[in-house]
Amino acid sequence: MSGERQQDFGGNMTHGGAYPAGGGYPRQDDDDMRGAAEHASRHAGSSGDTDLFSGLLGALTQKKQALADEDVDEDDAVKQHKRFFERDDDDDDKADDRSMGSAAAMQALKMFTGGQSGNTAESSSQSAFVGLAMAEASKLFDQKASQGKVSSDSSKESAVMKAGEMALKMYLKNQSGGKSQSSSSGIFGLASKFLS
C-alpha cells in the first residue's frame, strides 16, 4: 500500500505535478536565478555562501510576478547609495535591511555597467545583476554589523533579500520599457536613468 503511494508521488514528481501549469515561471528563468547564486557567492567572498543565496533566490523567484508590478523608488535608492557608498554612512542612524538592500542594488548597477561584474558572456544577464546586488548587500551588512551600525530588527538574510528584490524590480521595470533590447543594452539604459 505505502509502496504504491510512494510510486504515485514519484510519478507526480516526474511529471512536475501542478508546477508547470500553476507556477507560471519558465524553466529558463529558474535556471537563470540558479546562476545568480553562483555569481553572488563569487562576489561575496567570505560574506556569503551559495546556500544562503540559493535559498533566498528561490523565494525571490516566487515573488517575481508581484515584483514586476511594484514601483521602484529611484530617488530613495540613489539617496541610500550615496549614504552607504559615497559618504561612508557618517551619520549615527542604524542601517536597516531596506536601506542596505537599495544601496547594494545601486552599487551593483554601478559595478555592472562599469565592467566590474566579471567579464563573461553571462555577466550582462539578469542573474549576474541580481547576484551582484545580493553579494553587495551581504558585504555591506557585515561591514555595518562590525561597526555596530545595524538596526536590531534587521538580519543579513533580509538585507540580501531586499537587494535582490530591488535589483529584480529595476531590471524588470527596464525590460518592460517597450523596445526589445539585449540584456546588456537594457542594463546600460537602466544605469543612465538611475546614475545620471
Side-chain angles (χ1 to χ4, degrees):
M1 224 15 209
S2 63
E4 278 174 36
R5 271 207 302 276
Q6 209 169 1
Q7 198 173 6
D8 279 357
F9 184 66
N12 285 340
M13 291 296 280
T14 308
H15 291 98
Y19 294 116
Y25 303 108
R27 181 75 187 273
Q28 190 183 348
D29 266 11
D30 295 343
D31 289 344
D32 201 31
M33 286 302 192
R34 269 199 286 280
E38 285 158 32
H39 276 289
S41 59
R42 241 194 341 262
H43 285 285
S46 59
S47 286
D49 58 32
T50 311
D51 288 345
L52 166 74
F53 297 121
S54 291
L56 294 171
L57 281 159
L60 193 59
T61 304
Q62 298 290 320
K63 295 175 75 171
K64 187 172 182 178
Q65 220 44 56
L67 289 170
D69 297 330
E70 286 184 23
D71 278 335
V72 176
D73 189 341
E74 300 168 16
D75 294 339
D76 183 64
V78 170
K79 190 174 90 180
Q80 299 305 339
H81 181 264
K82 282 189 171 142
R83 173 185 167 190
F84 289 112
F85 288 96
E86 291 174 26
R87 293 207 319 265
D88 195 28
D89 189 23
D90 50 12
D91 56 37
D92 288 327
D93 288 347
K94 298 275 188 183
D96 62 28
D97 44 20
R98 191 190 62 78
S99 59
M100 284 187 283
S102 290
M106 290 300 292
Q107 178 66 5
L109 183 60
K110 201 170 181 181
M111 291 171 72
F112 206 81
T113 52
Q116 299 171 46
S117 61
N119 198 12
T120 64
E122 52 176 20
S123 64
S124 60
S125 68
Q126 172 185 304
S127 66
F129 179 48
V130 171
L132 194 56
M134 294 176 96
E136 284 300 310
S138 188
K139 290 195 286 190
L140 182 60
F141 184 91
D142 283 356
Q143 180 197 336
K144 292 296 153 201
S146 71
Q147 297 167 353
K149 285 190 168 184
V150 174
S151 67
S152 57
D153 57 351
S154 296
S155 68
K156 181 188 236 179
E157 287 79 3
S158 182
V160 170
M161 185 69 176
K162 293 287 183 201
E165 288 178 5
M166 174 60 99
L168 193 54
K169 280 199 288 191
M170 289 158 92
Y171 191 92
L172 293 171
K173 185 176 182 183
N174 193 62
Q175 290 280 306
S176 64
K179 298 190 190 105
S180 70
Q181 300 168 308
S182 71
S183 315
S184 60
S185 66
I187 282 289
F188 281 108
L190 182 64
S192 64
K193 212 187 316 177
F194 286 110
L195 298 171
S196 51

